[in-house]
Amino acid sequence: MKHASFRAAATTALLLAVLGALIFFLLPKYWVFLVTAVFIVGIALQSLGLVTGRTGMISLCQMSFAGVGAWVTGYLNLIGAPGGLAVWMLIGGLAAVPVGIAIGLPALRLRGINLAIVTLGFAAAFDTVLATITFPGQTTFTQVVRPEAFDSDKGYFLFVLLTYGVIAVVLEFVSRSRLGAAWLAVRHSERAAAANGISIPRAKLSAFAISAFISGISGGLLAGYLGTLVSENFSMMQSLALFAVATMAGAHFALGAIAGGMMIVLFPELLRRLNLPQDVGNVFFALGAVQALSTGETIAETWMRLARKLRPTRAVEAATAAGSLPDKTSHPAGIALEVRDLTVRYGTVTALDKVNLKVPAGTVVGLVGPNGAGKSTLVDAIAGFLYRYDGSILLNGSPLEAISATSRSKLGIRRTWQTTRIAPELRVGEYIRLAAGPISESELESLLAWFGCPGPETLISTVDVGTRRLLDVAGAVASRAPVILLDEPAAGVSYDEALKLGERIAAIPETFGSAVLLIEHDMDLVRRACSAITVFDFGRVIAAGAPAAVLDMPVVQKAYMGVEFEEAAE
Amino acid sequence: MDSLFTAAVAGLSAGGAYAILGVCAIFTYRLVAVVNFTGAAIGAAGTFAMVALFELGMPLLPAVLFGVAAGALAGLAIGLVMTTWFTGSNASTKAAVTAALLVGIIAVGLRLTGGQHPHYFPEIIPGSAFRLAGVEVTWAAVTTLVLSVAFTLLTEQFLARTRTGLQLRALSQRPMAAELIGIRVRLLALGVWAVTGGVTAFALMIIAPLRSPDFASLSLLVVPALAAALIGAFSSFRAALIGGVMIGLIEGGVSAIGPVSQYRGAVPFLVILAVLLWSQRGARWDEAR
Amino acid sequence: MIKTRNLLLASAAILLAATVSAQAAPTCENGPIQIGAVSTVTGVVDFSDAPRATQAVFQQLNDAGGINGCKVEFTIADDKGDPQVAAQAARDLIDNKGVVALAGGASLLDCAVNAATYDRNDVLAVQGVGVDPLCFNAPSVAPVNVGPYTLTTAVLDYATKDLGAKKLCTFFSIIGGTQEAYAAAVARWEKISGNTITLSDMTLPLQGDLTPYLVKARDAGCDAVLTNQVEPGVVQWIKTADAQKITGINWLFLAPGYTEGVSKALADSKQPIYVGTEWEPYTEATEANADWAKTMETAGLAKTAFSQGGYMAAKVLIDTISGIEGEVTRETVTAALKEGKELTYPLAGNAYSFGDAKAHSPMQATKIMQLVDGKWSVKTKDWFVLPAAE
């Protein structure tokens, strides 16, 4: 993992260095001037890619953040603040951070679309504010001073490239860290992210803060590039066009950011040379973005897919155990999870009616019942995904009411979902670390080997559904939580795999120390894994006890008639 | 205080426009599940079609009818894009599509309508209705208000009472299921798009003579419109109606307060922010994810 | 004594220079003379009338054999109203096309974005229509139009002197950097006339309902109101005034309001509407307009105010280059413009000169037009010239 991010960062740095050298030595002055803009726009695009592409929040005010950075840079230049452009643009970036956080605040509880409206509103509001403030120094014809060593066009190109390189490399590290994985997880499914103990507000705010910072820096660079700026540099239309290009090019990839920058900067050049009107550009960007959205693949992704095709495909490597698993975690003995008189109503429908359930520490308890019996509602209630319920839920004897899903997960209740919700852009190792926190390389390897999962560098998008279900369970287990709720882990898994999964689940308490509440339709798996069973029907507990006894009870057989009869009879 | 009230009343016509655009935004969201950033741009297309025909010498009434039809067609075009490629997409993707399309539509619109060269915008509903707080309240303002109220009530009744309304509601909530029980999903969706296009076009025609009538600024009326829709939490037509009018009134009022009047363009944003922070106090989980 | 002799010598040198320039022979060994213009052609506005007129004049010149045999190659670069594109366009003209000067440009932001670039590259811009304040506040740009700021002063002065306005009000919509310039323009009028402004509002929105502002003007008791609205805004302003049944106020606008679109759109209005022009009123078939009108007709271009600017900028460049002895290069053209020779054209109310100042605002004269029954008519037969700026 560490090696991988170093390697990726080194590759990015090397590629940029080579590219920079080629541009520096081969291109004439005018083209160097143009390419400088490509990289400045590329930085702005990366900042947008971080919020929108990576974290899945539509931001239509990215240039407003850049405007904050630019104006601050201009002001510092005017008053002759010490440190020169490099320091000014950093301060400009920092000045944009509170703005980003302020915009991000409503995003905490909002869905993506509302956020899009908030950001568009901000862009419009910022337009009116910026339009009234002259760029510092403009009335006195004072230009933003470039750093002495980088004053010429070619020199400034190096300065911009250097900044771009630093940002790209840092972003490479961040995106491969737990924070980066958390962003992807939030984008893919906020609930699943919360279930892994990720603080959604922190993930979203950090994305907005870092994005605003980077965008602010791009504004500062632009100030040094053009010397003076006008409000049109940062208008709402610029933000919208930037959004269209980012969507088309895939700005959350370093490659996509540069491709997008080239489009924004070189398209006008191309149009000029072809004697075509300049406004064709925006139409092209709009159509390109719609095309990318309809295929669900950005330009950067298309290129990477084609490049992957050219390379010989490597078979998915299974993880090999580097050592033995660490000892099981010791959790307090007694009742790990207790549900007391839990009642959940949706309007007039009672989904759960005074349900009582106990999961003793170190056991696997099965929860069965026909579809619609309220099993998943129970999991939602325990994990903290319901706004309100009556009754109480206790973890190791302490009540969990008024505790958020994220906090419950951190306290030690982990869950999986009926359908896998792992962000496909993650790697296996990144996902397990996202779920489990910082665990050692050897522990990760041996955990994956124990579950028969592929190696940590495997992309989730390349593994099949059955394996993803395994990873769901592996992630929950790796967290070593005292209570693990598995919601139909064998759904969509082949019979052989399901048997294997059953054995693994049965072995969880003794290997890892966690107690398991298992919801499953596959009765073979339930028999194999559980030491006790609770049966639900119409939101009520109709039976509880040892598996063999409970499953033979007439009332249970009856509940399963029709819908699940064959399975029950197997 | 008096001047504040006067200024607020002066914001009434803008408020009426925001209200009707906001109601239209909710209409599209509730029925075809799209947060539509191109709403005002569609209307602007219809409005400029009307102006072009009028400039060519067509009498006002047929020109208006053709303009409304053109707005409906423009709505239909967006609807075709959405129903052809994005039926199964999530709300964010659909919103992103319309946001991207807005960039292109404004570029095309500016090109076709010749930038800021003024067109002669005939006043469809001329004259002033009455005088309030020293301000002439125009028939145009009254009409937009009446129109938005009428549209709100009609839509509510239509959705609650008629069979098609029921089908439409089913369509927005479970498009797949709706298709299975034999609703012609696509046709209905396209119908919704056309209706929004026509209504917005008519609304913009009424207010265009009193606004800066270039394509871009008419298209960007979508910002207060969506702010109004947000006040209605994208579900309540009435709340959006009131919200739209309120935004107009506040904007008008703010322009009377010297030092801040410069920033009255920020009003929709501040309203959005306040409304959202208040209405979304409790933690909510995205249904879809 | 020595001083006097030096002075004499100096004047002799100037005389000599003048005679030389009279029979100067500019040469162009490296092909046609390259001239360019950065203008807003697509996007929110279309200002292409100005550079197209410039092009027409150069075409006419080339057809007649050029300047001493030197042809002019003229490039119009569109900036889309986008600063990034504007910067690229300027660099393309300077680095790739190798222009000796810029002429006839009309852009929302060319000066603001590129004035420094021009300055750094020692190339000067004879802006056809200067719009943003930096056009009048940079060493490298000297527009041939009066510009909104000087015009504000002039129209206010006219209102006091000829319309007898006592309570003057101004409403400006401010876009980046214009606040200081308009404030200075109003201050200059206050200084010239000795009056004070009754109400100066700098918060006019670029878009949105104007009713609150008109109500404010009415309630403040203004008898003349000046706004810097551009074309559609002018129409909106008057229509809103009509809708509010406001009477008894003289409405003053700047040159952007002086268009046929406005006169057509406001044909029904009874409001007293005045505008200040940048040049000889383009709607009048006067002697002063004769050559410009002929050139436009030959080239098949519309006769608009902007095209007067483009036309005049081209003339300035031709007359400047004609006075150059030797090779026409960026250096020689810049030097010739910086000499600041006064160039007089019937189109303009006072002489144009570039010169070597830190900021240029050479044009100081306007004519006032009034809209009567959908037609523009001249209110001031003679030029309304402002006293020289300090």
Side-chain angles (χ1 to χ4, degrees), chain B residues 117, chain C residues 46-50 52-54 56-57 129 231 255 258-263 277 279-311 347 369 376:
Chain B
H117 286 303
Chain C
D46 176 4
F47 288 164
S48 62
D49 283 358
R52 280 191 225 287
T54 313
V57 176
V129 182
E231 267 187 49
Y258 174 40
T259 68
E260 264 155 285
V262 169
S263 63
T277 68
W279 301 280
E280 176 74 14
Y282 76 94
T283 45
E284 303 293 304
T286 54
E287 188 57 34
N289 275 337
D291 186 58
W292 158 74
K294 211 178 103 214
T295 312
M296 292 305 109
E297 273 159 24
T298 319
L301 291 175
K303 280 183 272 183
T304 63
F306 271 57
S307 73
Q308 289 178 309
Y311 165 90
L347 219 52
M369 307 292 288
W376 292 109

Side-chain angles (χ1 to χ4, degrees), chain A residues 54-192:
Chain A
R54 198 164 279 279
T55 322
M57 301 181 286
I58 299 178
S59 165
L60 300 177
C61 64
Q62 214 58 28
M63 291 312 287
S64 309
F65 297 147
V68 173
W71 248 245
V72 169
T73 303
Y75 179 72
L76 293 172
N77 171 58
L78 190 64
I79 62 168
L85 186 60
V87 174
W88 302 338
M89 72 185 191
L90 279 179
I91 298 175
L94 288 176
V97 169
V99 183
I101 290 179
I103 299 299
L105 273 178
L108 299 185
R109 301 194 188 99
L110 287 190
R111 302 190 216 159
I113 26 171
N114 290 8
L115 187 66
I117 299 169
V118 173
T119 52
L120 188 71
F122 176 67
F126 191 73
D127 264 11
T128 63
V129 174
L130 203 57
T132 59
I133 316 170
T134 312
F135 188 78
Q138 198 169 67
T139 38
T140 50
F141 206 63
T142 312
Q143 304 291 307
V144 173
V145 184
R146 296 174 179 176
E148 222 165 281
F150 303 103
D151 190 46
S152 68
D153 278 340
K154 288 202 164 184
Y156 197 67
F157 165 71
L158 288 184
F159 182 71
V160 169
L161 186 73
L162 215 62
T163 315
Y164 185 93
V166 170
I167 290 175
V169 166
V170 170
L171 273 184
E172 195 74 52
F173 273 109
V174 173
S175 68
R176 280 172 170 262
S177 71
R178 187 157 188 259
L179 184 62
W183 290 335
L184 280 176
V186 165
R187 168 188 152 176
H188 192 68
S189 163
E190 284 183 16
R191 286 164 177 247

Side-chain angles (χ1 to χ4, degrees), chain B residues 103-161:
Chain B
V103 177
I105 292 177
I106 289 182
V108 173
L110 281 174
R111 163 57 64 86
L112 293 180
T113 58
Q116 281 186 332
H117 286 303
H119 290 271
Y120 180 61
F121 273 75
E123 284 183 51
I124 297 176
I125 303 157
S128 64
F130 53 89
R131 208 175 161 87
L132 178 67
V135 181
E136 298 288 337
V137 178
T138 59
W139 275 116
V142 174
T143 315
T144 45
L145 279 175
V146 170
L147 198 66
S148 47
V149 171
F151 189 62
T152 305
L153 295 178
L154 267 177
T155 315
E156 279 178 356
Q157 293 301 315
F158 171 72
L159 286 182
R161 300 279 160 95

Side-chain angles (χ1 to χ4, degrees), chain C residues 168-311:
Chain C
L168 269 149
C169 304
T170 54
F171 288 85
F172 296 109
S173 62
I174 298 300
I175 42 171
T178 54
Q179 184 151 6
E180 293 88 344
Y182 280 118
V186 172
R188 187 177 164 202
W189 164 77
E190 288 183 331
K191 205 168 146 203
I192 291 174
S193 68
N195 291 0
T196 47
I197 201 89
T198 304
L199 171 70
S200 186
D201 187 309
M202 297 263 185
T203 67
L204 211 56
L206 285 174
Q207 53 188 8
D209 194 6
L210 295 175
T211 314
Y213 296 88
L214 279 142
V215 169
K216 194 171 167 185
R218 180 196 65 192
D219 293 350
C222 311
D223 56 6
V225 172
L226 177 134
T227 88
N228 66 337
Q229 292 280 19
V230 293
E231 267 187 49
V234 171
V235 177
Q236 191 193 352
W237 185 262
I238 295 300
K239 290 213 160 167
T240 310
D242 276 337
Q244 291 302 319
K245 297 180 179 162
I246 296 172
T247 51
I249 298 181
N250 287 318
W251 306 106
L252 313 170
F253 298 100
L254 304 179
Y258 174 40
T259 68
E260 264 155 285
V262 169
S263 63
K264 231 192 310 175
L266 295 179
D268 302 333
S269 179
K270 298 276 169 281
Q271 301 280 357
I273 302 164
Y274 300 90
V275 296
T277 68
E278 306 265 23
W279 301 280
E280 176 74 14
Y282 76 94
T283 45
E284 303 293 304
T286 54
E287 188 57 34
N289 275 337
D291 186 58
W292 158 74
K294 211 178 103 214
T295 312
M296 292 305 109
E297 273 159 24
T298 319
L301 291 175
K303 280 183 272 183
T304 63
F306 271 57
S307 73
Q308 289 178 309
Y311 165 90

